[in-house]
């Protein structure tokens, strides 16, 4: 989202707006573009946290399309998840269908 990205650049954290953007994006009938996901993940990472709808927005659509991401988008999403201290094993995110063990 351009709004979330601009807010992150200006270091203006407004969690209700980020949640509203995430909730609206999750409900969209069409798939989200990879650039949107990468930019939104970066914006969330600026504030070093994501949970609930923010994390769902970033991870769920990304998992199903991860093999189609351009290298720059893949790097952006992965770095953003790392910055947000994503509590799950990143290999689970990067390799859909892999099991933990």
């Amino acid at each position: 989202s351009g709004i979330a990205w601009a807010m992150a650049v200006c270091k203006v954290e407004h969690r209700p707006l980020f949640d509203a953007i995430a909730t609206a994006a999750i409900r969209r009938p069409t798939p989200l573009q990879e650039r949107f996901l990468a930019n939104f993940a970066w914006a969330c990472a600026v504030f070093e946290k994501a949970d609930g709808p923010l994390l769902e927005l970033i991870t769920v659509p990304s998992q199903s399309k991860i093999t189609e991401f351009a290298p720059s988008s893949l790097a952006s999403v992965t770095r953003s998840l790392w910055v947000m201290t994503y509590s799950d094993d990143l290999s689970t995110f990067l390799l859909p269908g892999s099991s933990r063990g």
Side-chain angles (χ1 to χ4, degrees):
S1 163
I3 293 170
W5 183 88
M7 291 176 66
V9 168
C10 296
K11 304 278 193 229
V12 176
E13 183 175 7
H14 191 274
R15 182 58 189 258
L17 181 57
F18 272 66
D19 285 343
I21 292 168
T23 301
I26 290 167
R27 292 181 181 155
R28 282 178 48 127
T30 58
L32 297 170
Q33 296 177 347
E34 95 182 43
R35 197 72 242 149
F36 173 92
L37 293 169
N39 288 344
F40 194 75
W42 178 86
C44 292
V46 166
F47 302 112
E48 298 182 357
K49 60 185 166 193
D51 54 24
L54 298 178
L55 195 56
E56 182 182 348
L57 172 65
I58 296 164
T59 58
V60 173
S62 298
Q63 285 179 336
S64 64
K65 297 171 53 172
I66 199 76
T67 58
E68 301 169 19
F69 275 24
S72 61
S73 296
L74 178 59
S76 179
V77 170
T78 303
R79 182 195 172 280
S80 297
L81 288 170
W82 177 78
V83 168
M84 290 182 279
T85 61
Y86 187 70
S87 62
D88 215 353
D89 180 3
L90 278 180
S91 66
T92 302
F93 169 75
L94 294 172
L95 304 169
S98 68
S99 61
R100 299 169 113 186

